[in-house]
Amino acid sequence: MQETMNILIVGVGGQGVLLASEILSEAAMNAGFDVKKSEIHGMSQRGGVVSSHVRIGPVVYSPTIQEGQADVLMAFEQAEGYRAINWLKKDGIAIVSRTALIPAIVTGSKQFHYPEDAIADLQKIVKKTIGVEADKIAAELGNPRLVNTILLGVLSNYMPLPTELWVDTIKARVKPKLVDVNLLAFNRGRGVRLTKTTA
């Protein structure tokens, strides 16, 4: 990696956004990269919006991504992905769970209306949008809290990090009794890739 890679992770409190950013950051540090991370918690314990900026490269000076400079937008909730799209580079990749959770900040806003199909709206704007059936996969694996690991699996396809580093970091960061199912979730995510570009 010659230049800094910027990953913006967004979602709703309780979805595992912060754990995902910690796993990503730790895997990148274990690969020898400099990593800077920052987080914004909007009443995260009450279902508010949560975001994390992760910047990875040979040398990173600032923890904050500038608007329009994210290489990857990883969204745990489809409307949050849509709301954060201005942070993505023109040729960036949007990895978006088809999860629909309407946070209170949105229901209380007169300026934002929840889209009928946020993924379809995103695909009209961003050529490289990957809609991920993360809830469905998590349900198949028997644990709805696996969405974050599934999305990390998708993200890993677009990161210059060896698979074994992701696996080792997941093993170190999740409870021992949940390691096996999280690794299954990660591998299911790795099976989800961009198959075509739109827009």
Side-chain angles (χ1 to χ4, degrees):
M1 187 189 300
Q2 298 297 317
E3 298 180 357
T4 300
M5 188 169 185
N6 299 318
I7 301 98
L8 176 64
I9 306 174
V10 298
V12 177
Q15 286 191 292
V17 169
L18 302 183
L19 177 59
S21 70
E22 289 168 6
I23 290 173
L24 167 60
S25 298
E26 191 168 316
M29 285 190 289
N30 289 340
F33 292 111
D34 190 16
V35 179
K36 297 285 188 300
K37 178 168 74 83
S38 67
E39 299 162 352
I40 297 174
H41 310 213
M43 299 287 283
S44 59
Q45 296 302 315
R46 297 184 180 181
V49 176
V50 179
S51 65
S52 181
H53 294 220
V54 182
R55 305 190 73 218
I56 300 167
V59 179
V60 181
Y61 295 101
S62 168
T64 307
I65 301 168
Q66 298 297 309
E67 192 167 332
Q69 294 301 309
D71 297 285
V72 180
L73 167 65
M74 188 165 82
F76 285 51
E77 203 280 338
Q78 59 179 355
E80 287 309 308
Y82 185 77
R83 280 171 20 99
I85 202 62
N86 288 342
W87 291 86
L88 191 64
K89 283 182 177 175
K90 189 174 181 180
D91 60 346
I93 299 172
I95 299 169
V96 185
S97 174
R98 292 188 180 276
T99 302
L101 294 172
I102 305 175
I105 193 171
V106 171
T107 56
S109 171
K110 294 181 180 178
Q111 298 176 347
F112 183 82
H113 299 284
Y114 198 90
E116 282 189 31
D117 189 341
I119 301 286
D121 292 346
L122 275 168
Q123 289 173 332
K124 293 174 185 173
I125 302 168
V126 179
K127 291 182 179 179
K128 300 175 185 174
T129 296
I130 305 171
V132 185
E133 299 281 3
D135 284 336
K136 182 180 177 183
I137 296 170
E140 289 171 2
L141 294 174
N143 188 333
R145 298 177 67 87
L146 294 169
V147 167
N148 56 357
T149 317
I150 293 164
L151 293 180
L152 284 174
V154 181
L155 175 66
S156 72
N157 292 318
Y158 304 95
M159 298 292 298
L161 306 177
T163 304
E164 55 268 25
L165 282 182
W166 289 96
V167 170
D168 289 345
T169 307
I170 290 169
K171 287 179 177 176
R173 298 294 300 191
V174 304
K175 295 178 181 176
K177 66 180 181 182
L178 298 174
V179 166
D180 288 346
V181 73
N182 271 278
L183 293 180
L184 285 173
F186 179 77
N187 285 328
R188 288 289 298 272
R190 284 188 61 80
V192 178
R193 292 172 180 264
L194 185 68
T195 55
K196 63 177 182 178
T197 57
T198 57

